[in-house]
Amino acid sequence: MSNQPIGLTERPEGYASWLTELKTRIHQAQQRAALAVNHELLLLYWQIGRDILERQAQQGWGAKVIEQLAQDLRQHFPEMKGFSRANLMYMRSFAQAWTKDEVVQQPVGQLPWGHNLALLSKLKDPQKRLFYASKAVENNWSRNVLVMQIESGLHQRQGSAITNFEQRLPKAQSDLARESLKDPYRFDFLNLGQEAQERDIETALMQHVTEFLLELGAGFAFVGRQVPLEVGGDDFYLDLLFYHLKLRCYVVIELKAGDFKPEHLGQLGFYLTTVDRQIKSEHDQPTLGLLLCKSKNKVVAEYALSDKSQPMGIAEYKLQQALPEQLETNLPSIEQIERELQGEDQ
């Protein structure tokens, strides 16, 4: 048998699938190694923060000890980043915010330090921090996306759309469907004025489809815009069609540039019926409808939905973002320590 290396064109049968499997294993091992390193770093930072808290409480050390500690640690560990006074203050706050068990068991322990800086600097409430930490892990958000979601008030908007899902869908499906919708949706990335018309908004959304999908949330996959439907020889066009990978169903989104009117649901219901009969497969769940309008009367919307047999939701959209909430903490800004943390995994 020849000892010559196998040529590029002489791979034996089964080699390609084996190589694919090996690459998957290597990527998974790299991810586990990175998570392990991050986890150890978080525990180290938590322990340093806990020590600072305990010594300040028990021995009456003042704030100046943090500055002294920063100088000493940087002198002894010049190759390590992250020992500035500002970052040590974050370590102290990190230990104050979470117990060791929470760091080990909760989503915060799976996030890079930079993500935890955002949670600490922008949120005071532990439940809000945990909400955003869970979403960041679930959706693999970058730190910038996490900050954007915090500043847009996702915790207040998620699951807030008016729907009839509870009455029209099985329990497990209705809960997930409700949590998949928001109210209001933020379209400030479109840079459109309040008087923009429906077609203008549609066009701009397609030009910013990445931001649009991010605002819609995890699970939404774009299918088409102005999707043609033929019924009884007549042509119709639905505004936007998506498929939700978790819900396993199509989602029809209709845009209305004005206030909500009950008759809007008649058109949306027609599109749901058509999609169910012409596009949906036997393996898909019933199609959902989302009506996006500039404004709505909540009572009118609830009344209008109450007698609809198809699963629908109604939410507002905002073309101009309100100013972000004021920071709830007085910790140093993330930017103050970013230069020092260059090179660390954010």
Side-chain angles (χ1 to χ4, degrees):
M1 182 175 178
S2 173
N3 290 324
Q4 294 295 320
I6 298 173
L8 292 177
T9 60
E10 302 176 22
R11 294 182 177 89
E13 184 179 352
Y15 177 86
S17 60
W18 177 56
L19 178 61
T20 300
E21 181 184 346
L22 284 180
K23 289 191 291 187
T24 300
R25 289 182 192 170
I26 291 169
H27 285 312
Q28 290 174 343
Q30 289 174 327
Q31 291 171 350
R32 288 195 298 270
L35 286 172
V37 170
N38 178 69
H39 189 66
E40 289 301 317
L41 179 68
L42 291 181
L43 283 178
L44 171 64
Y45 282 0
W46 182 88
Q47 289 163 352
I48 292 173
R50 180 202 58 187
D51 288 350
I52 292 172
L53 283 171
E54 289 181 350
R55 281 160 175 75
Q56 286 184 327
Q58 295 172 6
Q59 302 179 32
W61 291 355
K64 288 186 177 180
V65 72
I66 296 180
E67 189 169 343
Q68 182 62 55
L69 181 62
Q71 294 177 8
D72 291 338
L73 289 177
R74 282 185 292 190
Q75 179 180 348
H76 288 285
F77 301 99
E79 74 287 355
M80 289 187 67
K81 303 178 186 299
F83 289 139
S84 69
R85 177 181 179 277
N87 210 35
L88 288 172
M89 289 176 65
Y90 271 112
M91 295 178 203
R92 181 183 184 277
S93 295
F94 187 58
Q96 202 168 31
W98 307 106
T99 66
K100 183 177 181 180
D101 286 344
E102 288 172 327
V103 174
V104 171
Q105 299 171 11
Q106 298 283 13
V108 291
Q110 302 174 47
L111 292 174
W113 181 239
H115 287 59
N116 276 291
L117 294 182
L119 295 173
L120 291 170
S121 66
K122 294 191 171 294
L123 298 166
K124 184 184 295 184
D125 182 79
Q127 292 305 312
K128 289 182 184 179
R129 286 173 175 165
L130 189 56
F131 170 86
Y132 285 103
S134 299
K135 292 296 179 183
V137 171
E138 176 186 350
N139 301 312
N140 196 29
W141 287 342
S142 68
R143 189 182 66 189
N144 287 341
V145 171
L146 171 61
V147 170
M148 182 196 74
Q149 298 288 10
I150 292 173
E151 291 183 347
S152 70
L154 177 65
H155 66 284
Q156 296 173 318
R157 300 188 293 130
Q158 182 121 32
S160 296
I162 299 172
T163 75
N164 61 0
F165 294 160
E166 188 174 355
Q167 293 78 32
R168 303 295 176 254
L169 295 171
K171 174 65 174 174
Q173 184 84 350
S174 70
D175 288 347
L176 181 55
R178 182 174 51 80
E179 285 302 309
S180 297
L181 302 187
K182 305 172 183 174
D183 188 25
Y185 284 84
R186 302 287 188 184
F187 294 160
D188 53 295
F189 55 84
L190 300 180
N191 295 317
L192 294 176
Q194 294 292 350
E195 301 308 314
Q197 297 302 303
E198 293 159 21
R199 192 57 60 90
D200 297 328
I201 298 171
E202 276 183 43
T203 300
L205 287 172
M206 292 303 95
Q207 292 171 347
H208 298 80
V209 68
T210 300
E211 292 89 343
F212 185 27
L213 286 170
L214 180 61
E215 175 62 7
L216 287 176
F220 280 89
F222 177 64
V223 176
R225 173 202 176 196
Q226 289 297 306
V227 178
L229 303 170
E230 189 273 324
V231 179
D234 291 340
D235 294 326
F236 301 88
Y237 299 87
L238 61 82
D239 289 347
L240 297 163
L241 182 63
F242 293 83
Y243 191 86
H244 200 286
L245 301 175
K246 294 182 179 179
L247 291 166
R248 297 292 177 188
C249 69
Y250 286 96
V251 181
V252 174
I253 296 181
E254 281 293 298
L255 283 166
K256 297 299 177 185
D259 298 338
F260 167 74
K261 292 181 172 50
E263 53 264 33
H264 294 158
L265 296 183
Q267 181 184 29
L268 180 59
F270 173 76
Y271 289 147
L272 294 185
T273 298
T274 308
V275 171
D276 277 340
R277 293 185 182 181
Q278 296 186 6
I279 300 177
K280 170 184 171 295
S281 78
E282 59 181 291
H283 305 294
D284 296 325
Q285 298 295 322
T287 303
L288 304 183
L290 173 60
L291 185 75
L292 289 177
C293 51
K294 191 173 180 181
S295 64
K296 66 181 184 305
N297 180 307
K298 182 178 178 181
V299 176
V300 172
E302 290 174 344
Y303 269 59
L305 279 174
S306 64
D307 65 347
K308 294 295 180 287
S309 61
Q310 296 158 300
M312 301 179 184
I314 304 168
E316 297 179 359
Y317 63 83
K318 302 296 182 185
L319 292 174
Q320 295 178 351
Q321 169 76 336
L323 292 175
E325 294 181 11
Q326 290 294 108
L327 299 189
E328 296 186 2
T329 71
N330 57 5
L331 284 167
S333 69
I334 300 175
E335 290 73 16
Q336 286 179 253
I337 62 173
E338 246 182 348
R339 287 190 299 272
E340 182 215 354
L341 294 177
Q342 290 299 320
E344 277 192 30
D345 183 13
Q346 293 284 312

